[in-house]
PDB file of all heavy atoms in Angstrom:
ATOM      1  N   LEU A  89      -1.453 -63.157  17.798  1.00 98.00           N
ATOM      2  CA  LEU A  89      -1.222 -63.516  19.200  1.00 98.00           C
ATOM      3  C   LEU A  89      -2.460 -63.164  20.014  1.00 98.00           C
ATOM      4  O   LEU A  89      -2.898 -62.008  20.017  1.00 98.00           O
ATOM      5  CB  LEU A  89      -0.011 -62.754  19.743  1.00 98.00           C
ATOM      6  CG  LEU A  89       1.260 -62.740  18.879  1.00 98.00           C
ATOM      7  CD1 LEU A  89       2.386 -62.032  19.627  1.00 98.00           C
ATOM      8  CD2 LEU A  89       1.658 -64.146  18.469  1.00 98.00           C
ATOM      9  N   TRP A  90      -3.030 -64.158  20.691  1.00 98.00           N
ATOM     10  CA  TRP A  90      -4.212 -63.987  21.528  1.00 98.00           C
ATOM     11  C   TRP A  90      -3.793 -64.135  22.989  1.00 98.00           C
ATOM     12  O   TRP A  90      -3.487 -65.238  23.449  1.00 98.00           O
ATOM     13  CB  TRP A  90      -5.256 -65.052  21.217  1.00 98.00           C
ATOM     14  CG  TRP A  90      -5.811 -65.070  19.832  1.00 98.00           C
ATOM     15  CD1 TRP A  90      -5.170 -65.447  18.691  1.00 98.00           C
ATOM     16  CD2 TRP A  90      -7.152 -64.729  19.448  1.00 98.00           C
ATOM     17  NE1 TRP A  90      -6.019 -65.364  17.612  1.00 98.00           N
ATOM     18  CE2 TRP A  90      -7.250 -64.931  18.054  1.00 98.00           C
ATOM     19  CE3 TRP A  90      -8.272 -64.289  20.155  1.00 98.00           C
ATOM     20  CZ2 TRP A  90      -8.431 -64.701  17.349  1.00 98.00           C
ATOM     21  CZ3 TRP A  90      -9.457 -64.071  19.450  1.00 98.00           C
ATOM     22  CH2 TRP A  90      -9.518 -64.265  18.071  1.00 98.00           C
ATOM     23  N   PHE A  91      -3.785 -63.037  23.729  1.00 98.00           N
ATOM     24  CA  PHE A  91      -3.404 -63.101  25.133  1.00 98.00           C
ATOM     25  C   PHE A  91      -4.297 -62.176  25.950  1.00 98.00           C
ATOM     26  O   PHE A  91      -5.019 -61.339  25.413  1.00 98.00           O
ATOM     27  CB  PHE A  91      -1.924 -62.742  25.315  1.00 98.00           C
ATOM     28  CG  PHE A  91      -0.982 -63.791  24.782  1.00 98.00           C
ATOM     29  CD1 PHE A  91      -0.419 -63.671  23.516  1.00 98.00           C
ATOM     30  CD2 PHE A  91      -0.684 -64.912  25.544  1.00 98.00           C
ATOM     31  CE1 PHE A  91       0.433 -64.651  23.027  1.00 98.00           C
ATOM     32  CE2 PHE A  91       0.162 -65.897  25.053  1.00 98.00           C
ATOM     33  CZ  PHE A  91       0.725 -65.766  23.791  1.00 98.00           C
ATOM     34  N   GLU A  92      -4.219 -62.348  27.251  1.00 97.00           N
ATOM     35  CA  GLU A  92      -5.029 -61.538  28.164  1.00 97.00           C
ATOM     36  C   GLU A  92      -4.132 -60.777  29.130  1.00 97.00           C
ATOM     37  O   GLU A  92      -2.916 -60.741  28.968  1.00 97.00           O
ATOM     38  CB  GLU A  92      -6.052 -62.414  28.896  1.00 97.00           C
ATOM     39  CG  GLU A  92      -5.413 -63.488  29.742  1.00 97.00           C
ATOM     40  CD  GLU A  92      -6.229 -64.761  29.829  1.00 97.00           C
ATOM     41  OE1 GLU A  92      -6.830 -65.187  28.821  1.00 97.00           O
ATOM     42  OE2 GLU A  92      -6.239 -65.371  30.914  1.00 97.00           O
ATOM     43  N   HIS A  93      -4.726 -60.203  30.150  1.00 97.00           N
ATOM     44  CA  HIS A  93      -4.066 -59.206  30.987  1.00 97.00           C
ATOM     45  C   HIS A  93      -3.287 -59.765  32.166  1.00 97.00           C
ATOM     46  O   HIS A  93      -2.532 -59.039  32.791  1.00 97.00           O
ATOM     47  CB  HIS A  93      -5.113 -58.238  31.519  1.00 97.00           C
ATOM     48  CG  HIS A  93      -6.180 -58.902  32.363  1.00 97.00           C
ATOM     49  ND1 HIS A  93      -6.953 -59.941  31.892  1.00 97.00           N
ATOM     50  CD2 HIS A  93      -6.597 -58.673  33.630  1.00 97.00           C
ATOM     51  CE1 HIS A  93      -7.808 -60.318  32.832  1.00 97.00           C
ATOM     52  NE2 HIS A  93      -7.603 -59.577  33.897  1.00 97.00           N
ATOM     53  N   ASP A  94      -3.462 -61.034  32.509  1.00 97.00           N
ATOM     54  CA  ASP A  94      -2.882 -61.534  33.756  1.00 97.00           C
ATOM     55  C   ASP A  94      -1.400 -61.870  33.605  1.00 97.00           C
ATOM     56  O   ASP A  94      -0.847 -61.857  32.507  1.00 97.00           O
ATOM     57  CB  ASP A  94      -3.673 -62.738  34.282  1.00 97.00           C
ATOM     58  CG  ASP A  94      -3.619 -63.937  33.345  1.00 97.00           C
ATOM     59  OD1 ASP A  94      -2.504 -64.399  33.027  1.00 97.00           O
ATOM     60  OD2 ASP A  94      -4.681 -64.430  32.924  1.00 97.00           O
ATOM     61  N   LEU A  95      -0.771 -62.165  34.734  1.00 98.00           N
ATOM     62  CA  LEU A  95       0.673 -62.395  34.775  1.00 98.00           C
ATOM     63  C   LEU A  95       1.098 -63.552  33.879  1.00 98.00           C
ATOM     64  O   LEU A  95       2.093 -63.448  33.143  1.00 98.00           O
ATOM     65  CB  LEU A  95       1.102 -62.655  36.226  1.00 98.00           C
ATOM     66  CG  LEU A  95       2.545 -63.100  36.458  1.00 98.00           C
ATOM     67  CD1 LEU A  95       3.528 -62.076  35.921  1.00 98.00           C
ATOM     68  CD2 LEU A  95       2.784 -63.349  37.943  1.00 98.00           C
ATOM     69  N   TYR A  96       0.392 -64.661  33.940  1.00 98.00           N
ATOM     70  CA  TYR A  96       0.719 -65.834  33.131  1.00 98.00           C
ATOM     71  C   TYR A  96       0.830 -65.447  31.653  1.00 98.00           C
ATOM     72  O   TYR A  96       1.808 -65.769  30.970  1.00 98.00           O
ATOM     73  CB  TYR A  96      -0.373 -66.885  33.335  1.00 98.00           C
ATOM     74  CG  TYR A  96      -0.201 -68.180  32.583  1.00 98.00           C
ATOM     75  CD1 TYR A  96       0.522 -69.244  33.134  1.00 98.00           C
ATOM     76  CD2 TYR A  96      -0.786 -68.367  31.335  1.00 98.00           C
ATOM     77  CE1 TYR A  96       0.655 -70.447  32.453  1.00 98.00           C
ATOM     78  CE2 TYR A  96      -0.658 -69.571  30.646  1.00 98.00           C
ATOM     79  CZ  TYR A  96       0.067 -70.602  31.207  1.00 98.00           C
ATOM     80  OH  TYR A  96       0.204 -71.787  30.528  1.00 98.00           O
ATOM     81  N   ASP A  97      -0.173 -64.726  31.166  1.00 98.00           N
ATOM     82  CA  ASP A  97      -0.213 -64.360  29.756  1.00 98.00           C
ATOM     83  C   ASP A  97       0.791 -63.275  29.399  1.00 98.00           C
ATOM     84  O   ASP A  97       1.398 -63.313  28.323  1.00 98.00           O
ATOM     85  CB  ASP A  97      -1.615 -63.870  29.397  1.00 98.00           C
ATOM     86  CG  ASP A  97      -2.571 -65.000  29.114  1.00 98.00           C
ATOM     87  OD1 ASP A  97      -2.602 -65.948  29.928  1.00 98.00           O
ATOM     88  OD2 ASP A  97      -3.283 -64.948  28.100  1.00 98.00           O
ATOM     89  N   GLN A  98       0.953 -62.298  30.266  1.00 98.00           N
ATOM     90  CA  GLN A  98       1.838 -61.190  29.938  1.00 98.00           C
ATOM     91  C   GLN A  98       3.291 -61.644  29.799  1.00 98.00           C
ATOM     92  O   GLN A  98       4.027 -61.135  28.942  1.00 98.00           O
ATOM     93  CB  GLN A  98       1.709 -60.082  30.976  1.00 98.00           C
ATOM     94  CG  GLN A  98       0.389 -59.329  30.902  1.00 98.00           C
ATOM     95  CD  GLN A  98       0.233 -58.568  29.597  1.00 98.00           C
ATOM     96  OE1 GLN A  98       1.004 -57.656  29.305  1.00 98.00           O
ATOM     97  NE2 GLN A  98      -0.766 -58.945  28.794  1.00 98.00           N
ATOM     98  N   LEU A  99       3.717 -62.603  30.601  1.00 98.00           N
ATOM     99  CA  LEU A  99       5.084 -63.116  30.454  1.00 98.00           C
ATOM    100  C   LEU A  99       5.220 -63.920  29.168  1.00 98.00           C
ATOM    101  O   LEU A  99       6.240 -63.837  28.468  1.00 98.00           O
ATOM    102  CB  LEU A  99       5.468 -63.961  31.667  1.00 98.00           C
ATOM    103  CG  LEU A  99       5.542 -63.229  33.011  1.00 98.00           C
ATOM    104  CD1 LEU A  99       6.092 -64.153  34.093  1.00 98.00           C
ATOM    105  CD2 LEU A  99       6.383 -61.961  32.924  1.00 98.00           C
ATOM    106  N   GLN A 100       4.202 -64.710  28.832  1.00 98.00           N
ATOM    107  CA  GLN A 100       4.238 -65.422  27.553  1.00 98.00           C
ATOM    108  C   GLN A 100       4.267 -64.440  26.384  1.00 98.00           C
ATOM    109  O   GLN A 100       4.980 -64.651  25.397  1.00 98.00           O
ATOM    110  CB  GLN A 100       3.016 -66.338  27.427  1.00 98.00           C
ATOM    111  CG  GLN A 100       3.042 -67.545  28.341  1.00 98.00           C
ATOM    112  CD  GLN A 100       1.914 -68.508  28.033  1.00 98.00           C
ATOM    113  OE1 GLN A 100       0.980 -68.193  27.302  1.00 98.00           O
ATOM    114  NE2 GLN A 100       1.979 -69.693  28.602  1.00 98.00           N
ATOM    115  N   LEU A 101       3.505 -63.371  26.489  1.00 98.00           N
ATOM    116  CA  LEU A 101       3.472 -62.368  25.425  1.00 98.00           C
ATOM    117  C   LEU A 101       4.856 -61.741  25.227  1.00 98.00           C
ATOM    118  O   LEU A 101       5.305 -61.553  24.086  1.00 98.00           O
ATOM    119  CB  LEU A 101       2.441 -61.293  25.758  1.00 98.00           C
ATOM    120  CG  LEU A 101       2.290 -60.151  24.746  1.00 98.00           C
ATOM    121  CD1 LEU A 101       1.849 -60.678  23.384  1.00 98.00           C
ATOM    122  CD2 LEU A 101       1.299 -59.107  25.268  1.00 98.00           C
ATOM    123  N   LEU A 102       5.548 -61.426  26.323  1.00 98.00           N
ATOM    124  CA  LEU A 102       6.911 -60.901  26.205  1.00 98.00           C
ATOM    125  C   LEU A 102       7.809 -61.895  25.478  1.00 98.00           C
ATOM    126  O   LEU A 102       8.598 -61.508  24.602  1.00 98.00           O
ATOM    127  CB  LEU A 102       7.493 -60.610  27.588  1.00 98.00           C
ATOM    128  CG  LEU A 102       6.895 -59.475  28.406  1.00 98.00           C
ATOM    129  CD1 LEU A 102       7.682 -59.313  29.709  1.00 98.00           C
ATOM    130  CD2 LEU A 102       6.870 -58.169  27.620  1.00 98.00           C
ATOM    131  N   ASP A 103       7.707 -63.154  25.845  1.00 98.00           N
ATOM    132  CA  ASP A 103       8.537 -64.197  25.241  1.00 98.00           C
ATOM    133  C   ASP A 103       8.296 -64.260  23.730  1.00 98.00           C
ATOM    134  O   ASP A 103       9.249 -64.238  22.922  1.00 98.00           O
ATOM    135  CB  ASP A 103       8.197 -65.535  25.902  1.00 98.00           C
ATOM    136  CG  ASP A 103       9.143 -66.660  25.516  1.00 98.00           C
ATOM    137  OD1 ASP A 103      10.187 -66.387  24.887  1.00 98.00           O
ATOM    138  OD2 ASP A 103       8.841 -67.824  25.858  1.00 98.00           O
ATOM    139  N   VAL A 104       7.028 -64.320  23.331  1.00 98.00           N
ATOM    140  CA  VAL A 104       6.703 -64.448  21.908  1.00 98.00           C
ATOM    141  C   VAL A 104       7.126 -63.198  21.139  1.00 98.00           C
ATOM    142  O   VAL A 104       7.721 -63.289  20.051  1.00 98.00           O
ATOM    143  CB  VAL A 104       5.195 -64.709  21.726  1.00 98.00           C
ATOM    144  CG1 VAL A 104       4.857 -64.780  20.239  1.00 98.00           C
ATOM    145  CG2 VAL A 104       4.787 -66.011  22.412  1.00 98.00           C
ATOM    146  N   LEU A 105       6.833 -62.022  21.672  1.00 98.00           N
ATOM    147  CA  LEU A 105       7.192 -60.788  20.971  1.00 98.00           C
ATOM    148  C   LEU A 105       8.706 -60.618  20.853  1.00 98.00           C
ATOM    149  O   LEU A 105       9.206 -60.138  19.826  1.00 98.00           O
ATOM    150  CB  LEU A 105       6.587 -59.583  21.681  1.00 98.00           C
ATOM    151  CG  LEU A 105       5.072 -59.396  21.527  1.00 98.00           C
ATOM    152  CD1 LEU A 105       4.595 -58.220  22.356  1.00 98.00           C
ATOM    153  CD2 LEU A 105       4.678 -59.225  20.065  1.00 98.00           C
ATOM    154  N   ALA A 106       9.443 -61.004  21.905  1.00 98.00           N
ATOM    155  CA  ALA A 106      10.904 -60.911  21.837  1.00 98.00           C
ATOM    156  C   ALA A 106      11.463 -61.848  20.766  1.00 98.00           C
ATOM    157  O   ALA A 106      12.390 -61.489  20.026  1.00 98.00           O
ATOM    158  CB  ALA A 106      11.515 -61.210  23.198  1.00 98.00           C
ATOM    159  N   LEU A 107      10.899 -63.051  20.663  1.00 98.00           N
ATOM    160  CA  LEU A 107      11.323 -63.983  19.612  1.00 98.00           C
ATOM    161  C   LEU A 107      11.019 -63.418  18.235  1.00 98.00           C
ATOM    162  O   LEU A 107      11.847 -63.486  17.318  1.00 98.00           O
ATOM    163  CB  LEU A 107      10.598 -65.322  19.793  1.00 98.00           C
ATOM    164  CG  LEU A 107      11.264 -66.391  20.647  1.00 98.00           C
ATOM    165  CD1 LEU A 107      10.363 -67.621  20.738  1.00 98.00           C
ATOM    166  CD2 LEU A 107      12.622 -66.793  20.090  1.00 98.00           C
ATOM    167  N   ALA A 108       9.816 -62.859  18.083  1.00 98.00           N
ATOM    168  CA  ALA A 108       9.432 -62.295  16.788  1.00 98.00           C
ATOM    169  C   ALA A 108      10.338 -61.116  16.420  1.00 98.00           C
ATOM    170  O   ALA A 108      10.771 -60.985  15.271  1.00 98.00           O
ATOM    171  CB  ALA A 108       7.973 -61.857  16.830  1.00 98.00           C
ATOM    172  N   HIS A 109      10.624 -60.268  17.400  1.00 98.00           N
ATOM    173  CA  HIS A 109      11.458 -59.092  17.140  1.00 98.00           C
ATOM    174  C   HIS A 109      12.871 -59.502  16.729  1.00 98.00           C
ATOM    175  O   HIS A 109      13.457 -58.910  15.801  1.00 98.00           O
ATOM    176  CB  HIS A 109      11.501 -58.218  18.388  1.00 98.00           C
ATOM    177  CG  HIS A 109      12.157 -56.894  18.176  1.00 98.00           C
ATOM    178  ND1 HIS A 109      11.926 -56.115  17.067  1.00 98.00           N
ATOM    179  CD2 HIS A 109      13.049 -56.195  18.933  1.00 98.00           C
ATOM    180  CE1 HIS A 109      12.622 -55.000  17.143  1.00 98.00           C
ATOM    181  NE2 HIS A 109      13.328 -55.025  18.260  1.00 98.00           N
ATOM    182  N   ALA A 110      13.415 -60.514  17.383  1.00 96.00           N
ATOM    183  CA  ALA A 110      14.753 -60.994  17.032  1.00 96.00           C
ATOM    184  C   ALA A 110      14.788 -61.540  15.609  1.00 96.00           C
ATOM    185  O   ALA A 110      15.847 -61.547  14.972  1.00 96.00           O
ATOM    186  CB  ALA A 110      15.193 -62.069  18.025  1.00 96.00           C
ATOM    187  N   ASP A 111      13.619 -61.982  15.117  1.00 95.00           N
ATOM    188  CA  ASP A 111      13.533 -62.529  13.758  1.00 95.00           C
ATOM    189  C   ASP A 111      13.081 -61.476  12.747  1.00 95.00           C
ATOM    190  O   ASP A 111      12.855 -61.812  11.579  1.00 95.00           O
ATOM    191  CB  ASP A 111      12.564 -63.712  13.754  1.00 95.00           C
ATOM    192  CG  ASP A 111      12.983 -64.794  12.769  1.00 95.00           C
ATOM    193  OD1 ASP A 111      14.142 -65.254  12.852  1.00 95.00           O
ATOM    194  OD2 ASP A 111      12.165 -65.150  11.902  1.00 95.00           O
ATOM    195  N   GLY A 112      12.899 -60.232  13.213  1.00 95.00           N
ATOM    196  CA  GLY A 112      12.502 -59.164  12.309  1.00 95.00           C
ATOM    197  C   GLY A 112      11.060 -59.229  11.862  1.00 95.00           C
ATOM    198  O   GLY A 112      10.704 -58.678  10.805  1.00 95.00           O
ATOM    199  N   ALA A 113      10.195 -59.879  12.642  1.00 96.00           N
ATOM    200  CA  ALA A 113       8.799 -60.072  12.250  1.00 96.00           C
ATOM    201  C   ALA A 113       7.867 -59.194  13.079  1.00 96.00           C
ATOM    202  O   ALA A 113       8.214 -58.765  14.184  1.00 96.00           O
ATOM    203  CB  ALA A 113       8.413 -61.539  12.407  1.00 96.00           C
ATOM    204  N   GLU A 114       6.665 -58.958  12.538  1.00 96.00           N
ATOM    205  CA  GLU A 114       5.662 -58.137  13.207  1.00 96.00           C
ATOM    206  C   GLU A 114       4.327 -58.880  13.225  1.00 96.00           C
ATOM    207  O   GLU A 114       3.486 -58.696  12.333  1.00 96.00           O
ATOM    208  CB  GLU A 114       5.503 -56.786  12.502  1.00 96.00           C
ATOM    209  CG  GLU A 114       6.757 -55.929  12.529  1.00 96.00           C
ATOM    210  CD  GLU A 114       6.559 -54.612  11.792  1.00 96.00           C
ATOM    211  OE1 GLU A 114       5.539 -54.473  11.084  1.00 96.00           O
ATOM    212  OE2 GLU A 114       7.423 -53.730  11.925  1.00 96.00           O
ATOM    213  N   PRO A 115       4.091 -59.733  14.218  1.00 98.00           N
ATOM    214  CA  PRO A 115       2.805 -60.435  14.296  1.00 98.00           C
ATOM    215  C   PRO A 115       1.676 -59.470  14.644  1.00 98.00           C
ATOM    216  O   PRO A 115       1.912 -58.297  14.953  1.00 98.00           O
ATOM    217  CB  PRO A 115       3.035 -61.442  15.430  1.00 98.00           C
ATOM    218  CG  PRO A 115       4.095 -60.809  16.270  1.00 98.00           C
ATOM    219  CD  PRO A 115       4.984 -60.057  15.329  1.00 98.00           C
ATOM    220  N   GLU A 116       0.454 -59.955  14.576  1.00 98.00           N
ATOM    221  CA  GLU A 116      -0.706 -59.175  14.970  1.00 98.00           C
ATOM    222  C   GLU A 116      -1.095 -59.527  16.402  1.00 98.00           C
ATOM    223  O   GLU A 116      -0.769 -60.617  16.892  1.00 98.00           O
ATOM    224  CB  GLU A 116      -1.878 -59.433  14.021  1.00 98.00           C
ATOM    225  CG  GLU A 116      -1.613 -58.931  12.612  1.00 98.00           C
ATOM    226  CD  GLU A 116      -2.752 -59.236  11.661  1.00 98.00           C
ATOM    227  OE1 GLU A 116      -3.184 -60.409  11.626  1.00 98.00           O
ATOM    228  OE2 GLU A 116      -3.198 -58.324  10.957  1.00 98.00           O
ATOM    229  N   LEU A 117      -1.782 -58.600  17.059  1.00 98.00           N
ATOM    230  CA  LEU A 117      -2.085 -58.755  18.484  1.00 98.00           C
ATOM    231  C   LEU A 117      -3.577 -58.642  18.753  1.00 98.00           C
ATOM    232  O   LEU A 117      -4.253 -57.756  18.205  1.00 98.00           O
ATOM    233  CB  LEU A 117      -1.376 -57.670  19.301  1.00 98.00           C
ATOM    234  CG  LEU A 117       0.143 -57.600  19.258  1.00 98.00           C
ATOM    235  CD1 LEU A 117       0.623 -56.370  20.028  1.00 98.00           C
ATOM    236  CD2 LEU A 117       0.746 -58.856  19.855  1.00 98.00           C
ATOM    237  N   ILE A 118      -4.070 -59.532  19.615  1.00 98.00           N
ATOM    238  CA  ILE A 118      -5.362 -59.379  20.277  1.00 98.00           C
ATOM    239  C   ILE A 118      -5.077 -59.603  21.757  1.00 98.00           C
ATOM    240  O   ILE A 118      -4.853 -60.746  22.191  1.00 98.00           O
ATOM    241  CB  ILE A 118      -6.407 -60.375  19.763  1.00 98.00           C
ATOM    242  CG1 ILE A 118      -6.693 -60.148  18.274  1.00 98.00           C
ATOM    243  CG2 ILE A 118      -7.702 -60.288  20.583  1.00 98.00           C
ATOM    244  CD1 ILE A 118      -7.614 -61.192  17.645  1.00 98.00           C
ATOM    245  N   VAL A 119      -5.017 -58.532  22.525  1.00 97.00           N
ATOM    246  CA  VAL A 119      -4.672 -58.609  23.949  1.00 97.00           C
ATOM    247  C   VAL A 119      -5.732 -57.842  24.724  1.00 97.00           C
ATOM    248  O   VAL A 119      -5.891 -56.628  24.525  1.00 97.00           O
ATOM    249  CB  VAL A 119      -3.274 -58.025  24.234  1.00 97.00           C
ATOM    250  CG1 VAL A 119      -2.907 -58.215  25.703  1.00 97.00           C
ATOM    251  CG2 VAL A 119      -2.224 -58.685  23.337  1.00 97.00           C
ATOM    252  N   ILE A 120      -6.480 -58.541  25.586  1.00 97.00           N
ATOM    253  CA  ILE A 120      -7.628 -57.916  26.238  1.00 97.00           C
ATOM    254  C   ILE A 120      -7.572 -58.102  27.758  1.00 97.00           C
ATOM    255  O   ILE A 120      -6.957 -59.027  28.262  1.00 97.00           O
ATOM    256  CB  ILE A 120      -8.959 -58.472  25.698  1.00 97.00           C
ATOM    257  CG1 ILE A 120      -9.102 -59.982  26.003  1.00 97.00           C
ATOM    258  CG2 ILE A 120      -9.066 -58.233  24.195  1.00 97.00           C
ATOM    259  CD1 ILE A 120     -10.481 -60.532  25.692  1.00 97.00           C
ATOM    260  N   GLY A 121      -8.258 -57.190  28.436  1.00 96.00           N
ATOM    261  CA  GLY A 121      -8.386 -57.279  29.893  1.00 96.00           C
ATOM    262  C   GLY A 121      -9.820 -57.273  30.352  1.00 96.00           C
ATOM    263  O   GLY A 121     -10.090 -57.312  31.555  1.00 96.00           O
ATOM    264  N   SER A 122     -10.753 -57.237  29.399  1.00 96.00           N
ATOM    265  CA  SER A 122     -12.177 -57.249  29.725  1.00 96.00           C
ATOM    266  C   SER A 122     -12.936 -57.747  28.504  1.00 96.00           C
ATOM    267  O   SER A 122     -12.383 -57.842  27.400  1.00 96.00           O
ATOM    268  CB  SER A 122     -12.656 -55.844  30.116  1.00 96.00           C
ATOM    269  OG  SER A 122     -12.467 -54.938  29.039  1.00 96.00           O
ATOM    270  N   PHE A 123     -14.217 -58.056  28.738  1.00 96.00           N
ATOM    271  CA  PHE A 123     -15.061 -58.500  27.631  1.00 96.00           C
ATOM    272  C   PHE A 123     -16.494 -58.082  27.925  1.00 96.00           C
ATOM    273  O   PHE A 123     -16.969 -58.249  29.055  1.00 96.00           O
ATOM    274  CB  PHE A 123     -14.989 -60.023  27.449  1.00 96.00           C
ATOM    275  CG  PHE A 123     -15.627 -60.496  26.167  1.00 96.00           C
ATOM    276  CD1 PHE A 123     -14.903 -60.509  24.993  1.00 96.00           C
ATOM    277  CD2 PHE A 123     -16.956 -60.910  26.150  1.00 96.00           C
ATOM    278  CE1 PHE A 123     -15.492 -60.926  23.797  1.00 96.00           C
ATOM    279  CE2 PHE A 123     -17.551 -61.323  24.963  1.00 96.00           C
ATOM    280  CZ  PHE A 123     -16.822 -61.334  23.776  1.00 96.00           C
ATOM    281  N   PRO A 124     -17.213 -57.527  26.936  1.00 95.00           N
ATOM    282  CA  PRO A 124     -18.581 -57.059  27.166  1.00 95.00           C
ATOM    283  C   PRO A 124     -19.490 -58.164  27.711  1.00 95.00           C
ATOM    284  O   PRO A 124     -19.474 -59.301  27.216  1.00 95.00           O
ATOM    285  CB  PRO A 124     -19.034 -56.617  25.768  1.00 95.00           C
ATOM    286  CG  PRO A 124     -17.773 -56.298  25.032  1.00 95.00           C
ATOM    287  CD  PRO A 124     -16.746 -57.251  25.561  1.00 95.00           C
TER     288      PRO A 124
END
Side-chain angles (χ1 to χ4, degrees):
L89 313 184
W90 298 71
F91 290 97
E92 61 213 39
H93 60 304
D94 64 57
L95 172 59
Y96 180 88
D97 278 48
Q98 289 295 297
L99 296 187
Q100 289 188 348
L101 179 61
L102 292 183
D103 189 10
V104 178
L105 287 176
L107 269 178
H109 188 43
D111 214 54
E114 297 179 348
E116 294 178 310
L117 300 174
I118 297 174
V119 184
I120 63 171
S122 61
F123 191 85

